[in-house]
Amino acid sequence: MTVLPLHRNTPADIAGPADLTVEQVTTLLAPINPSRVQTLNRQSHLEAWDVRRWLNRVFGFGGWSDETLELVCVAEREINPGRWTVIYRAQVRLTVKTTDGRTLTAYDDAAMGDSRNQPSLGDAHDMAMKTALSQALKRCAHNLGDAFGLSLYNDGSRQAVGIWSAAHPKPTDDADVPTVPDDAPVKPEPAPAVEHQAPAAEQQVQRSKQAEGGPWETSPQQAPPQQRPRAVPDQQQAGPAGPSRDYLADAQAAESRERFDQVRAAAVAEGAPPEYLAQLDAIAQQKEQAAQQQAPKQQAPRKSDAPKPGPARPTAVPSIPSAPDPEADAARQQHAVALAELLAAGKALALEPSHLDDIARAEAGCTAAECTVEQLGAITADLRAAAEGAAA
């Protein structure tokens, strides 16, 4: 009795691993050429055009296709007058075929893409869509192994992680397997120039390296007019920039402990140094001490000493409860941390606090400061996903 191989009993239009050629398997199992790897924000990645080039090399022209399953605009914000940031989400399907045109397999994946601080709204949308689609395609392609960057997920390693496949026998020593040639180093695709403002932590100049105090060490009200921070930073101006607002004045005017926590969280998110945060904490301590000293004076006086009734005078000093509430303090601290994380995630996408309030209203029906910790966490996770998709 003659036994036929199992794969020959399958329909003619269905393909499997055995239908890949020896050259294809060898190329897919080989380690990636380091000259193809790019590094951005300490993240290793491949260029989208290089991935398409290697899809052509491995599967041939017409041997693969990509399909857009979803393309959605997540956010469109005018961060400064005439400057736009746009975020898109894309889901893509990559289909690869055998050399005779049969479908071998398909992979689906999704990604977020953004375009920050663009002078043209059309260019911002175009770049964000392109980025999201390219990132989704690259995530689909890494399922094909080291030739498409699978090893880079192993902490950026260039060493092969696929190495072997039980479904593909190792070629014999005398097999005529071509050697994959080395290409010239891959260069990134040209992208529109984006004027980024350096992170606040990088903008801060250490006192030991200059004669005068750094931008965070000088109150905006005391700085010369030409050095005062503006509500909209002038990104054309060179040199270090200070805080975008006067957090010291905001802390002094805070009407409650909750409001102070929000001010401090915003300062942390903008990269305020420890010395500046110490000044904020000192203001809070002074306000609490003043409130405790004023508390006995606010007790009801005796009838003989009671002054004539008159309009009550408002006080700028917040009312501090006589007995501390550890649970309430812990909840306020947790909310302040969640709010600071949201502001930091928004800053990574060049979103102003007002834009975050718009997103919070759309998601939770209230401003960011009024959101619960859970709502802040959900919005922060979405923004971080958008930032990671852009840097992947």
Side-chain angles (χ1 to χ4, degrees):
M1 181 177 66
T2 302
V3 179
L4 297 177
L6 291 178
H7 72 273
R8 294 186 180 275
N9 291 334
T10 58
D13 59 341
I14 296 179
D19 293 289
L20 287 171
T21 67
V22 174
E23 293 85 352
Q24 288 176 318
V25 175
T26 303
T27 303
L28 292 174
L29 291 178
I32 191 170
N33 189 330
S35 66
R36 297 176 54 203
V37 181
Q38 300 290 309
T39 302
L40 177 63
N41 297 330
R42 292 180 292 183
Q43 298 281 341
S44 298
H45 69 98
L46 299 180
E47 288 294 321
W49 73 266
D50 182 49
V51 170
R52 293 178 179 273
R53 173 178 66 164
W54 276 83
L55 285 170
N56 286 333
R57 285 183 172 181
V58 176
F59 300 102
F61 297 102
W64 66 276
S65 64
D66 58 334
E67 177 185 0
T68 301
L69 304 180
E70 181 188 50
L71 184 61
V72 179
C73 181
V74 177
E76 175 192 298
R77 296 289 181 268
E78 188 176 14
I79 58 173
N80 290 328
R83 311 294 298 193
W84 298 87
T85 290
V86 176
I87 305 173
Y88 268 83
R89 180 180 68 249
Q91 184 177 5
V92 170
R93 172 174 297 161
L94 170 63
T95 302
V96 295
K97 302 177 182 179
T98 61
T99 54
D100 57 1
R102 289 175 295 155
T103 298
L104 182 64
T105 188
Y107 303 105
D108 293 3
D109 215 321
M112 301 279 278
D114 70 342
S115 182
R116 309 181 192 180
N117 198 17
Q118 294 296 325
S120 168
L121 180 58
D123 290 342
H125 276 272
D126 181 75
M127 190 64 183
M129 287 190 295
K130 173 185 173 183
T131 302
L133 292 170
S134 296
Q135 296 297 333
L137 175 63
K138 290 194 292 184
R139 290 183 177 179
C140 290
H142 80 254
N143 292 287
L144 293 169
D146 295 314
F148 295 92
L150 180 61
S151 66
L152 300 182
Y153 286 82
N154 185 25
D155 197 23
S157 174
R158 276 66 163 169
Q159 300 297 323
V161 294
I163 304 176
W164 61 273
S165 171
H168 303 284
K170 183 178 179 181
T172 59
D173 294 338
D174 57 351
D176 185 14
V177 178
T179 302
V180 178
D182 291 336
D183 294 306
V186 173
K187 296 182 180 180
E189 296 183 30
V194 181
E195 299 173 359
H196 288 293
Q197 185 177 3
E202 299 178 4
Q203 296 171 0
Q204 173 66 14
V205 181
Q206 298 180 3
R207 184 184 299 272
S208 60
K209 295 183 180 181
Q210 61 174 20
E212 300 177 354
W216 279 94
E217 301 172 24
T218 304
S219 172
Q221 294 179 348
Q222 299 174 354
Q226 66 274 17
Q227 297 180 358
R228 293 181 184 174
R230 306 176 182 177
V232 178
D234 185 1
Q235 300 186 1
Q236 300 289 345
Q237 182 180 359
S244 61
R245 51 190 278 204
D246 188 351
Y247 293 106
L248 298 176
D250 291 347
Q252 190 67 48
E255 300 175 353
S256 63
R257 181 70 191 191
E258 290 79 3
R259 178 56 184 163
F260 171 81
D261 290 340
Q262 295 173 6
V263 173
R264 192 182 191 280
V268 172
E270 194 171 348
E275 296 81 3
Y276 194 91
L277 297 177
Q279 297 181 50
L280 294 176
D281 294 336
I283 292 176
Q285 185 177 5
Q286 293 173 2
K287 292 167 71 71
E288 290 178 358
Q289 292 176 353
Q292 292 174 357
Q293 294 175 359
Q294 188 177 5
K297 299 179 181 180
Q298 294 179 348
Q299 297 178 355
R302 294 177 300 177
K303 292 184 178 180
S304 58
D305 299 334
K308 295 182 180 180
R313 296 181 179 179
T315 176
V317 180
S319 177
I320 305 297
S322 57
D325 187 348
E327 294 184 359
D329 292 341
R332 285 195 297 266
Q333 183 65 21
Q334 187 178 10
H335 187 273
V337 171
L339 185 60
E341 292 177 348
L342 174 64
L343 293 172
K347 186 177 181 181
L349 294 173
L351 297 177
E352 298 290 341
S354 60
H355 303 144
L356 296 177
D357 285 337
D358 293 339
I359 296 176
R361 291 189 184 95
E363 297 291 337
C366 59
T367 63
E370 297 170 344
C371 287
T372 64
V373 173
E374 291 75 13
Q375 292 170 337
L376 291 172
I379 299 173
T380 300
D382 291 341
L383 295 179
R384 286 176 176 172
E388 292 173 358

